[in-house]
Amino acid sequence: ARVSLGGLPFDVVASDGRPLQTAYTTGVLELGPGERYDLLIQPPLPSVWTAQVDYLSDYTGAVLGSVQTQIVAT
């Protein structure tokens, strides 16, 4: 799966419940089946972003489907 937050950057701080030695900032995160990540989101100003998860084929990388939701920072 590929996770994006509508251009909003986020810090990846943990993987599968374990803190990373070095957190990193990105705008897109790809993960495999069963993986979990902890993300810190710090919106720079009040706004609305569209978060999206694309479900990818393990064989071709093609997008098989997507879901979206909104992140509202007030």
Side-chain angles (χ1 to χ4, degrees):
R2 179 175 51 225
V3 177
S4 62
L5 304 181
L8 180 64
F10 50 88
D11 297 329
V12 181
V13 297
S15 174
D16 291 328
R18 294 186 177 102
L20 298 177
Q21 282 188 326
T22 304
Y24 62 94
T25 303
T26 188
V28 177
L29 181 65
E30 287 197 19
L31 53 149
E35 285 186 305
R36 298 169 297 163
Y37 288 91
D38 292 354
L39 311 178
L40 288 179
I41 303 168
Q42 298 176 328
L45 51 98
S47 192
V48 177
W49 291 269
T50 300
Q52 180 164 321
V53 177
D54 296 320
Y55 297 96
L56 307 175
S57 166
D58 289 336
Y59 299 106
T60 66
V63 177
L64 302 175
S66 299
V67 294
Q68 295 180 339
T69 192
Q70 289 187 330
I71 298 171
V72 179
T74 56

